[in-house]
């Protein structure tokens, strides 16, 4: 029997300078949906997240709080871990850059790059953004009326002039090689719009980059105790460190199947990171998925920009499953989107309370009333015939990482099932003994549709779908390949509380 394909998926590790926010949650929920879908497909999934815990910004946050940097990052990591547990994120590993395994991998990676002759010592001067932990080119700066320079990303932060003697990486030597890599691997950067942006950058030429800093809170540069590895370079290495590098066990997962990141850090992941790996004699990842952002009242949600919707408030309003569904259904995974309380409430009431929750309650209630709570055996109906087409659309969307389309395809089945209830009128069939077989077919088909919905919606709402599975007599969602032959005949159902109650607290 052949082994299932390995799918190693990672998210960007979050910088330990504050609490988890909506942007963090969007990325982690999306990556989790991708990982859960791959598991339903039968893949051997390894899903990694973590924390980026070194650098000047962390030092400043710790100093402001009156604690050591280690105490600071420990507290932040606990807060992030608790939120990911609440949001039902199914990661297999949570790597922190203050862990010995990460430091070991970072030193080995930098040593290999040094041995390849791709680093040299030089002096750097320029405008530095502490928020980004990077020097800013002219096109990455804005100037206000007073002449103060600010970062285009962190527009409330003043840039500071910095002059240092650092180690540099010969990124300029990898432009042509990266272009060939892009050509040979057209699916490396996804979606396509991000690829075009990076191609233009490579074609314009690459500059060497400073890859060390005279900042004490970090991993010491090999052979130079006065320098630490630049936090961005070090952070990228977490992906291969979590796979087990430099031990040979890393080969099970490497190269990574997909790095899930925000579109603002594609240069690091699609240019600098593969160039580093090439220099060290290692394979680049197979794909990088760069998702967009979402806005609130037309402005990007950003703590530094003062545009905020508190994550805890959103999760409290309708619960983690409903939040996961709304954010992945309404915000395209391949583009930008808008967060709206009104849209959230509309999605919740229409899709979850009415189409899905009410369907479950009606079907289980009828099975209890008409068949003593046991799913009858019944012939296939036109509702069963709808499933293959819906499943094909769902798979195509999820394979392409178009999560919003996958959620829509799944809900098509709920809409079809509700239409089926009205068309078949099982309450009328129950009044006519001659229609007993028709009633059995109606209830059996509806039970099968609900069982399929459990699987199709599990990547989006894992908590509620586990609950729904139990109410249908299932222990867990069934694999995707088993949906077209799913038979729930003989299983005992139970109604339970309303899955998605309409009565919710006002925002």
């Amino acid at each position: 029997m052949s082994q299932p394909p390995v799918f190693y998926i990672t998210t960007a590790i979050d910088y330990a300078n504050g609490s988890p926010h909506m942007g963090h949650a969007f990325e982690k929920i999306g990556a989790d949906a991708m990982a859960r879908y791959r598991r339903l497909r039968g893949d051997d999934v390894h899903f990694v997240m973590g924390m980026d815990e070194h650098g000047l910004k962390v030092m400043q946050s710790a100093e402001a709080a009156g604690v050591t940097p280690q105490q600071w990052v420990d507290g932040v990591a606990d807060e992030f871990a608790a939120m990911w547990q609440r949001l039902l994120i199914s990661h297999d590993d949570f790597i922190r850059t203050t862990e010995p395994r990460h430091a070991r991998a970072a030193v080995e990676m930098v040593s290999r790059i040094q041995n390849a002759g791709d680093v040299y010592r030089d002096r750097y001067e320029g405008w530095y953004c502490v928020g980004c932990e990077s020097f800013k080119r002219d096109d990455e700066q804005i100037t206000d009326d007073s002449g103060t320079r600010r970062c285009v990303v962190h527009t409330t932060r003043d840039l500071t002039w910095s002059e240092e003697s650092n180690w540099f990486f010969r990124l300029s030597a990898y432009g042509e090689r990266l272009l060939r890599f892009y050509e040979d691997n057209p699916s490396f950067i996804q979606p396509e719009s991000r690829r075009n942006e990076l191609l233009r950058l490579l074609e314009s030429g690459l500059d060497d980059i400073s890859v060390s800093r005279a900042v004490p809170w970090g991993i010491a540069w090999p052979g130079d105790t006065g320098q630490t590895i630049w936090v961005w370079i070090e952070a990228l290495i977490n992906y291969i460190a979590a796979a087990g590098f430099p031990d040979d066990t890393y080969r099970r997962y490497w190269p990574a199947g997909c790095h899930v990141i925000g579109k603002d850090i594609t240069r690091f992941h699609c240019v600098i990171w593969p160039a580093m790996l090439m220099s060290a004699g290692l394979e680049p990842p197979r794909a990088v998925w760069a998702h967009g952002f979402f806005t609130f009242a037309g402005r990007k949600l950003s703590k530094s920009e003062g545009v905020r919707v508190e994550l805890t408030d959103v999760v409290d309003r309708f619960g983690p499953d409903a939040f996961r569904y709304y954010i992945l259904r309404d915000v395209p995974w391949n583009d930008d989107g808008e967060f709206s309380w009104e849209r959230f409430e509309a999605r919740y009431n229409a899709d979850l309370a009415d189409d899905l929750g009410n369907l479950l309650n009606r079907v289980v209630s009828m099975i209890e009333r008409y068949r003593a709570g046991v799913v009858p055996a019944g012939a296939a109906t036109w509702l069963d015939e709808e499933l293959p087409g819906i499943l094909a659309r769902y798979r195509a969307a999820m394979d392409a990482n178009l999560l919003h389309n996958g959620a829509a395809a799944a809900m098509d089945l709920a809409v079809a099932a509700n239409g089926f209830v009205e068309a078949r009128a099982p309450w009328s069939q129950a009044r006519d003994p001659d229609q007993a077989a028709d009633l059995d077919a109606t209830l059996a088909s509806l039970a099968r549709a609900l069982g399929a919905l459990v699987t199709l919606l599990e990547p989006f709402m894992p908590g509620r779908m586990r609950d729904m599975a139990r109410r249908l007599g299932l222990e867990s969602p069934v694999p995707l390949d088993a949906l077209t032959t799913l038979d729930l005949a003989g299983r005992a159902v139970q109604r339970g509380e309303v899955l998605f109650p309409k009565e919710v607290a006002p925002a």
Side-chain angles (χ1 to χ4, degrees), residues 170-231:
R170 297 184 196 278
L171 184 62
S172 60
Y174 285 87
E176 289 299 322
R177 189 169 172 184
L178 285 168
L179 281 169
R180 290 196 301 272
F181 177 73
Y182 283 17
E183 183 178 343
D184 294 341
N185 300 274
S187 61
F188 171 61
I189 305 170
Q190 301 175 39
E192 185 69 20
S193 58
R194 314 288 185 240
R195 173 185 168 84
N196 297 334
E197 295 168 4
L198 272 298
L199 280 171
R200 289 193 295 270
L201 174 64
L202 289 178
E203 289 165 355
S204 67
L206 299 175
D207 296 325
D208 294 349
I209 58 171
S210 169
V211 291
S212 72
R213 298 287 186 271
V215 176
W217 182 243
I219 297 173
W221 187 271
D224 187 349
T225 57
Q227 296 276 305
T228 52
I229 304 171
W230 177 32
V231 63

Side-chain angles (χ1 to χ4, degrees), residues 39-42 391 395 455 476-486:
R39 294 189 189 106
L40 290 172
R41 249 182 37 163
L391 183 57
R395 281 183 176 270
T455 293
S476 60
V478 301
L480 281 168
D481 288 344
L483 287 186
T484 55
T485 58
L486 178 64

Side-chain angles (χ1 to χ4, degrees), residues 41-62:
R41 249 182 37 163
D43 293 359
D44 178 7
V45 173
H46 193 65
F47 176 23
V48 174
M49 295 167 28
M51 299 297 300
D52 182 5
E53 299 183 335
H54 289 130
L56 180 59
K57 191 161 53 172
V58 166
M59 281 183 58
Q60 292 176 344
S61 297

